[in-house]
């Protein structure tokens, strides 16, 4: 780590194997690579970790406290909102609306952009998030997660606008997720690799457990909802057939794994390789998953870990958003497998 504060090049961060590194220390170390940094992004990432601890506490005791069941509200996606969804959404908004670091927010649970209340200062960053993705699985104790994405603002100053929110994923400065599963894990990137932290609830600290995650170039797991197989377009059905054919040379057939909770399916893909996909289909012609707070943050993570993220014909991070809640077909995972998907989806195969 450079002590030369005049250094203008990025100082390579050395990963320490088997050392005790808190997420706060890890975040701060990456800030030192940017001598001009004021610490605003560092504080935002600290607050993401805090939000994850607050939400994880409730998710992990959901079976014990009467907060299961539904609010009777439906969100902008037309999905029934579970009480934990509401709680998670409020956690994000109440953590980030007063810190003076954001100029605007957007949530999967909110139809419109979430403004910074006029009584608080506006800052230079933009936060988009899915506060509790996969929440329909909560009652079955299936892993769920929070997904988040941070940009520098585009407008010069004052309250942020939709122009600050509708971006290309390649402009993200940080992104990641918190997985509420057998343990609570936070995985994030600021563009210099991907690292994972596991919460030690006894001390309330996220500790470095997965330094510098590198996704296998080739995997042997495919993940999609095969219940819709008869609704897949022909190109996708042929890709699926290919993955399921015997071929020892190419390591096929692949194993099928599908949890139906994006954070869980993506996290497994990140660590084991293979492909997670939610393709366009006759049921969902534009795909189901949302560009701004699902595909983009997960796509940033995938690329930073050496993987790929595509719509089937275009790099996810190159898609220019036109609507806040727009959906996008999605193939992400090991480079070789995503490239195969693209060959099928673009007619090369
Ligand atoms: P399907 C959960 O509702 C979610 O938004 C993602 O977490 C998950 O990947 C997907 O939808 C599952 O959708 O149609 O397979 O139930």
């Amino acid at each position: 780590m450079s002590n030369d504060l005049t250094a203008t090049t990025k100082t390579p961060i050395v990963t320490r194997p088997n050392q005790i590194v808190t997420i706060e220390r890890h975040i701060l170390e990456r800030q030192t690579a940017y001598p001009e940094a004021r610490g605003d992004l560092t504080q935002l990432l600290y607050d993401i970790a805090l939000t994850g601890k607050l939400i994880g506490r409730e998710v992990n005791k959901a079976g014990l406290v009467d907060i299961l069941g539904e609010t009777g509200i439906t969100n902008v996606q037309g999905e029934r909102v579970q009480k934990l969804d509401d709680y998670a959404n409020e956690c994000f908004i109440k953590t980030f609306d007063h810190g003076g670091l954001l100029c605007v927010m957007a949530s999967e649970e909110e139809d419109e952009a979430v403004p910074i209340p006029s009584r608080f200062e506006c800052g230079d960053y933009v936060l988009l998030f899915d506060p509790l993705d996969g929440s329909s699985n909560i009652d079955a104790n299936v892993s769920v997660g929070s997904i988040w994405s941070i940009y520098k603002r585009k407008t010069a100053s004052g309250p942020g606008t939709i122009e600050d929110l509708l971006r290309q994923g390649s402009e993200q400065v940080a992104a990641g997720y918190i997985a509420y599963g057998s343990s609570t894990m936070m995985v994030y990137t600021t563009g210099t690799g991907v690292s994972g932290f596991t919460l030690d609830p006894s001390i309330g600290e996220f500790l470095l457990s997965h330094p510098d995650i590198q996704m296998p170039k080739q995997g042997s797991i495919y993940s999609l909802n095969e219940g819709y197989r008869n609704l897949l377009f022909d190109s996708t059905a042929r890709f699926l057939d290919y993955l399921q054919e015997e071929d020892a040379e190419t390591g096929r057939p692949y194993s099928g794994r599908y949890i139906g909770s994006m954070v869980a399916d993506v996290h497994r893909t990140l660590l084991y390789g293979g492909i997670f996909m939610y393709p366009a289909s006759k049921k969902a012609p534009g795909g189901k998953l949302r560009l701004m707070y699902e595909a983009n943050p997960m796509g940033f993570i995938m690329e930073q870990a050496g993987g790929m993220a595509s719509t089937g014909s275009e790099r996810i991070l190159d898609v220019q958003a036109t609507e806040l809640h727009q959906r996008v077909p999605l193939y992400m995972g090991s480079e070789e497998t995503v490239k195969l998907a693209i060959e099928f989806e673009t007619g090369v195969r």
Side-chain angles (χ1 to χ4, degrees):
M1 181 165 59
S2 164
N3 291 321
D4 173 6
L5 292 184
T6 59
T8 53
T9 54
K10 290 180 183 175
T11 310
I13 301 292
V14 175
T15 303
R16 299 181 194 82
N18 309 322
Q19 298 294 307
I20 297 176
V21 179
T22 63
I23 194 165
E24 287 82 6
R25 179 185 183 89
H26 192 271
I27 292 166
L28 198 54
E29 282 180 346
R30 269 136 193 80
Q31 178 188 322
T32 56
Y34 303 87
E36 71 285 2
R38 295 182 313 194
D40 289 358
L41 181 58
T42 293
Q43 184 58 59
L44 281 173
L45 294 172
Y46 285 3
D47 288 346
I48 293 278
L50 169 65
T51 307
K53 293 176 193 174
L54 290 167
I55 296 169
R57 181 190 60 190
E58 296 308 319
V59 169
N60 290 340
K61 66 183 182 186
L64 305 174
V65 176
D66 183 27
I67 54 174
L68 290 180
E70 297 161 8
T71 58
I73 306 167
T74 57
N75 65 16
V76 66
Q77 319 299 335
E79 295 164 343
R80 294 173 300 174
V81 176
Q82 305 266 4
K83 286 180 180 174
L84 272 173
D85 270 8
D86 267 344
Y87 173 78
N89 192 45
E90 285 305 306
C91 272
F92 270 92
I93 293 173
K94 288 177 179 169
T95 300
F96 288 99
D97 69 355
H98 60 281
L101 300 174
L102 299 179
C103 63
V104 66
M105 289 184 254
S107 167
E108 191 254 5
E109 293 293 336
E110 303 287 343
D111 302 13
E112 307 299 328
V114 180
I116 300 303
S118 54
R119 64 186 182 281
F120 298 130
E121 287 294 311
C122 283
D124 292 338
Y125 289 92
V126 175
L127 172 68
L128 299 102
F129 56 91
D130 184 350
L132 200 60
D133 182 79
S135 57
S136 56
N137 294 290
I138 288 171
D139 289 354
N141 202 25
V142 170
S143 294
V144 293
S146 302
I147 312 170
W148 49 273
S149 171
I150 299 175
Y151 296 80
K152 289 282 278 186
R153 70 179 302 165
K154 268 185 107 168
T155 54
S157 60
T161 70
I162 195 68
E163 183 188 352
D164 293 300
L165 290 164
L166 298 184
R167 311 289 285 272
Q168 281 181 298
S170 54
E171 299 174 71
Q172 292 173 100
V173 294
Y177 57 87
I178 301 117
Y180 312 108
S182 50
S183 60
T184 296
M185 267 199 77
M186 178 159 157
V187 175
Y188 88 98
T189 183
T190 54
T192 55
V194 178
S195 296
F197 300 78
T198 301
L199 181 67
D200 179 339
S202 67
I203 56 172
E205 284 286 1
F206 278 109
L207 301 179
L208 181 62
S209 52
H210 297 70
D212 194 21
I213 298 172
Q214 291 295 317
M215 187 186 312
K217 286 294 178 198
Q218 181 75 40
S220 60
I221 296 172
Y222 74 87
S223 181
L224 84 160
N225 186 334
E226 292 196 68
Y228 308 141
R229 184 175 181 116
N230 293 333
L231 297 170
L232 294 177
F233 294 123
D234 180 54
S235 54
T236 313
R238 288 190 299 104
F239 174 50
L240 193 52
D241 289 342
Y242 175 84
L243 293 179
Q244 294 173 335
E245 281 160 7
E246 289 275 350
D247 182 330
E249 190 182 324
T250 60
R252 291 179 284 138
Y254 274 37
S255 298
R257 294 283 186 279
Y258 190 69
I259 301 167
S261 178
M262 184 185 191
V263 169
D265 281 316
V266 167
H267 188 62
R268 182 204 54 246
T269 306
L270 178 68
L271 297 184
Y272 294 174
I275 188 167
F276 167 69
M277 48 189 151
Y278 206 108
S281 69
K282 295 156 197 158
K283 172 181 170 64
K288 173 183 182 182
L289 300 178
R290 277 76 78 176
L291 174 64
M292 292 311 297
Y293 40 78
E294 290 176 334
N296 274 335
M298 294 308 205
F300 193 15
I301 290 282
M302 288 283 148
E303 290 194 357
Q304 284 292 311
M308 279 183 77
S310 172
T311 65
S313 59
E314 181 180 7
R315 180 189 179 219
I316 288 277
L317 300 192
D318 288 343
V319 177
Q320 173 58 54
T322 54
E323 291 171 28
L324 196 50
H325 300 289
Q326 77 183 69
R327 301 174 191 267
V328 69
L330 180 150
Y331 303 77
M332 48 177 58
S334 296
E335 186 178 332
E336 294 311 313
T337 319
V338 175
K339 282 179 177 173
L340 261 179
I342 293 168
E343 288 181 3
F344 279 89
E345 296 297 354
T346 56
V348 171
R349 283 180 181 249

